[in-house]
Each structure stands twice: as C-alpha cells, then as structure tokens.
Amino acid sequence: MHVVVPFDAREPKTRLSPVLDPGERREFARVMLHSVCSTVEATGHEPTVLATADPDIEWPVRVDDRSLSDAVNAMLAERDDPVAVVMADLALATPAALKRVFAADGEVVLVAGRGGGTNVALARHPDFRVDYHGVSIRDHRERAAAIGVDPTLVDSFRLSTDVDEPADLAEVLLHGQGEPTAWLRDHAVEVAVSDGRVTVQRNE
Amino acid sequence: MHVVVPFDAREPKTRLSPVLDPGERREFARVMLHSVCSTVEATGHEPTVLATADPDIEWPVRVDDRSLSDAVNAMLAERDDPVAVVMADLALATPAALKRVFAADGEVVLVAGRGGGTNVALARHPDFRVDYHGVSIRDHRERAAAIGVDPTLVDSFRLSTDVDEPADLAEVLLHGQGEPTAWLRDHAVEVAVSDGRVTVQRNE
C-alpha cells in the first residue's frame, strides 16, 4: 500500500488567525505534517508527502502544484497498488487509529472529517477518484457507489478531527500526546471555556 | 450491565434556536432520546431513562430532578453492577459503535464528546463518580486516575457527536440513517455550505 500525505504549503490554516500569527501557522502546519508522517511510519508504511512545494522533510516528497484533487488523482491513476490518502492536519491521529483504517475491508475505505470532509481515503479499486471540493464525504460515497463499490466507513473521532479552527486546537490539547500538542503548549495555547463552549486562548 | 440515558426535559437544545423553534427543539430532543434508547436496546441491553420529569416513553424511567451529575452519581452509588451512562443526544450512535464501548476492557471506559464533554461513561469500579460540569472528559480521566484506574478511551466519531449546534445537525444529515435524520429531513433541514463551512438551512 502506498500512503500519501498531501500538504499545501501556501498560506496554511488561515482560520487559525485568531490564535496564531502567519509564521506560527506555517510552523504548526509543518509540525502537524511531521506528526502525521511519523504516525504513518509507526503503522509500518512509508509516507510520501504530496506537496505544492518541497517541504524539506525526511520522507519522500512528490511536488505537484495542481489542486489537491488533481494531484491525488494523478497519483491514483499511475499506481496499481492500493493508495491511502491521509490529510496532513490530523493532529490526533495515532498508529492504532490509522491501523483500523488500513486493516478495514473494502475496495474503498473512507474516514469522514467533521464538517463533511474526507480525512482518510483508501482506494483498492483502480477506478476510484477523489474530489475534495465541497462536501467531499458525500461525493466520495457516491463515487464509490458509481463504480459498484459499497464504501467502508471507519468510525474515528481522532481521524475525524482535522485542525482548521481554534476550537479544533482545544481537541488537540485535550486528547493529543504528540508533537502538535507539545507545540501548542510551548506556544502558550491553552484550553479555555467561553460561554459554555470549549475553545483556546493564548496565555502570555 | 445497567445502561442509563439521562434526559433533561427542561428547555432542551437552546443552541439550535437559529434552526428550530422551541416546540421543534423539544420534539427533536425526544426523537434523539428515542433513537438512543432503541440503539441501546439493539445492543442487547435495556436502557433506563434518567429524566428530570417523566418523558412517557416505552422504557423504564427513573425521575430525578437534581443536576445531571448528582442524579447519575446517586445511581452509581446504589448499584453493584457496571453502569454505562449514554447521552440522549447522540443522534449518530449505532449499535456497532456502542458495542465497541460496552466490549472495551477497563474499569472505567470513556468516550469523549467534541468540545470536552463525556458522551459515554462506563463504570465497572465502585468508586467512580461523574462530574459533567466544564471540561468533563479531562475531569473524568483525572477521577479515574485518582481511584487507581487507567481509563480506556474509545475512539468514535459517531459517539463524539452530540447535537448542540446547527453544524451538528449537518453531521446528523450527512452520516445518520435513523429517526433523527429522518425527522430533520421531514422538517426541511438541509445541509448547506456557507463560507467554506458545512452547516444547515431550512428549505421551506
């Protein structure tokens, strides 16, 4: 199985701007990428980073500056072996959670992201293609059905949590043990309760 | 094992007011309660509804108008068998997801809710008590540790999704097959994408 971790280095994570400045957002995005790649490696697979520009990282990199969907689909079209696409901002991913996905039966295995995204897609069928635009989990289920595949959905809170907004950082602080959690603590990002909702604040 | 589903009938789900009026919120809260109880039953356990007032439902009801934590702790103190506490607004709960929790090893088994909550707590230790105030998942882990128990955390997106805000309804529409999803469709609540984020709108 070929495991791909797409990474867009251009202006990452703008919705975190209430908490992190542009330089911090770039650094944190890279910390998450490193963490996801390490987690993939801990499952026994070597990740390939599919990046818009070379991120200078210790795993193989393929540079493709097209859209996420186009770059992933080019890779899917090339390869004969199963391909797993794991988002680079899954700061709560653990080897155990990813192993559940990689071990799941089915020609198409999907993990939903909160908010309609697709945080992991594992294609064992040659005709499956991705479209990350819009409510992609719905589209991916329909695309699987269109090629005669009943997709397998893996139920994981850890993998459903991609990091886009300040509230997502609270999840990372509450449930993470890895590099992204340590980075947030080092940068004085703390869990805060405001109006009954959990979010984060800077304490400095 | 004794399975308890707490239900607060007073002014439920006020944060859904941008989408549902007070009567609809009460009705939808009850639909979710019914769905959770049916799901518990499908795992082979009879649920007991622990309610602030009698909800007139086909499963056993225990009325206790104290706070959620006090009412649950009174039950935990009384019983010698394991007790599982399953929140009434887990509209995406499935028998498979709950079975993973009930089958998990450990004297304290927890499922985190998004935003720091505790959506399922299974106590097999006589001294475990709950406190749902604030960031309860953190408190429950600490309370387990304080009685010498390393809590088991079950990783489930379905069970982490309690329904509090309009965006949660989008998750129910995207991933549910049960009564709450059908109720939302019947009431013209639809998935909408606004500003790149998934939420819901009424279409009537």
Side-chain angles (χ1 to χ4, degrees):
Chain A
M1 188 176 61
H2 190 59
V3 183
V4 183
V5 181
F7 182 68
D8 189 343
R10 297 169 293 207
E11 287 248 19
K13 300 297 161 200
T14 48
R15 277 149 66 187
L16 295 179
S17 57
V19 184
L20 304 178
D21 71 32
E24 289 171 333
R25 297 200 298 272
R26 272 192 298 276
E27 196 181 320
F28 184 62
R30 210 198 132 83
V31 166
M32 291 197 290
L33 169 67
H34 193 275
S35 171
V36 167
C37 288
S38 298
T39 306
V40 168
E41 194 167 70
T43 69
H45 298 276
E46 183 180 63
T48 295
V49 179
L50 178 60
T52 52
D54 191 340
D56 186 22
I57 198 163
E58 62 258 49
W59 293 281
V61 173
R62 168 173 164 142
V63 173
D64 189 328
D65 64 1
R66 286 176 289 179
S67 77
L68 172 61
S69 301
D70 286 348
V72 168
N73 284 335
M75 192 165 248
L76 287 171
E78 270 174 31
R79 300 198 67 101
D80 294 323
D81 52 341
V83 175
V85 185
V86 181
M87 291 296 128
D89 59 353
L90 304 186
L92 293 179
T94 57
L98 278 181
K99 278 180 186 171
R100 279 176 58 214
V101 182
F102 297 163
D105 290 329
E107 289 185 293
V108 173
V109 179
L110 302 170
V111 183
R114 192 176 151 87
T118 306
N119 285 357
V120 187
L122 165 52
R124 298 192 182 105
H125 189 294
D127 298 334
F128 184 73
R129 295 292 179 272
V130 296
D131 179 358
Y132 286 104
H133 187 76
V135 185
S136 70
I137 191 69
R138 192 166 56 185
D139 297 338
H140 289 150
R141 288 190 307 225
E142 289 169 4
R143 281 166 169 243
I147 56 171
V149 172
D150 183 18
T152 303
L153 276 294
V154 173
D155 176 27
S156 169
F157 166 67
R158 291 190 165 278
L159 300 179
S160 76
T161 307
D162 47 322
V163 175
D164 289 316
E165 304 189 5
D168 301 324
L169 299 178
E171 305 296 340
V172 178
L173 285 164
L174 284 172
H175 303 293
Q177 280 105 35
E179 301 163 61
T181 306
W183 189 94
L184 290 173
R185 291 203 179 117
D186 285 349
H187 288 76
V189 180
E190 296 183 347
V191 172
V193 179
S194 159
D195 216 5
R197 293 168 215 222
V198 171
T199 183
V200 290
Q201 64 186 17
R202 291 300 280 265
N203 180 27
E204 40 187 10
Chain B
M1 189 176 63
H2 191 59
V3 183
V4 183
V5 182
F7 182 68
D8 189 343
R10 295 168 295 206
E11 287 249 17
K13 300 298 159 200
T14 49
R15 277 148 68 185
L16 295 179
S17 57
V19 184
L20 305 178
D21 70 31
E24 289 171 333
R25 296 201 298 273
R26 273 192 297 276
E27 195 180 319
F28 184 61
R30 212 198 129 84
V31 166
M32 291 198 288
L33 169 66
H34 193 276
S35 170
V36 167
C37 288
S38 298
T39 306
V40 169
E41 194 167 70
T43 69
H45 299 275
E46 185 181 59
T48 295
V49 178
L50 178 60
T52 52
D54 190 342
D56 186 22
I57 199 164
E58 61 259 50
W59 293 282
V61 172
R62 170 174 163 139
V63 174
D64 189 329
D65 65 0
R66 286 176 288 179
S67 76
L68 172 61
S69 300
D70 286 347
V72 168
N73 284 336
M75 194 165 245
L76 288 170
E78 270 173 33
R79 299 198 65 102
D80 295 323
D81 53 340
V83 175
V85 185
V86 181
M87 292 295 131
D89 59 352
L90 304 186
L92 292 179
T94 57
L98 278 181
K99 278 181 187 171
R100 279 177 57 216
V101 182
F102 297 162
D105 290 329
E107 288 186 291
V108 173
V109 179
L110 302 170
V111 183
R114 192 175 153 87
T118 306
N119 285 357
V120 187
L122 165 52
R124 298 193 182 104
H125 189 293
D127 297 335
F128 185 74
R129 296 291 178 272
V130 296
D131 179 358
Y132 286 104
H133 188 76
V135 185
S136 70
I137 191 70
R138 193 167 56 184
D139 297 337
H140 288 149
R141 287 189 308 225
E142 289 169 4
R143 282 166 167 241
I147 56 171
V149 172
D150 183 18
T152 304
L153 275 294
V154 173
D155 176 28
S156 169
F157 166 67
R158 290 189 166 278
L159 300 180
S160 76
T161 307
D162 47 322
V163 175
D164 289 317
E165 304 189 5
D168 302 323
L169 299 179
E171 305 297 340
V172 178
L173 284 164
L174 285 171
H175 303 293
Q177 281 105 35
E179 300 163 63
T181 307
W183 189 95
L184 291 172
R185 291 203 178 117
D186 284 348
H187 289 76
V189 180
E190 295 184 346
V191 172
V193 180
S194 158
D195 216 5
R197 293 167 216 224
V198 171
T199 183
V200 290
Q201 63 186 17
R202 292 298 282 265
N203 180 27
E204 40 189 9

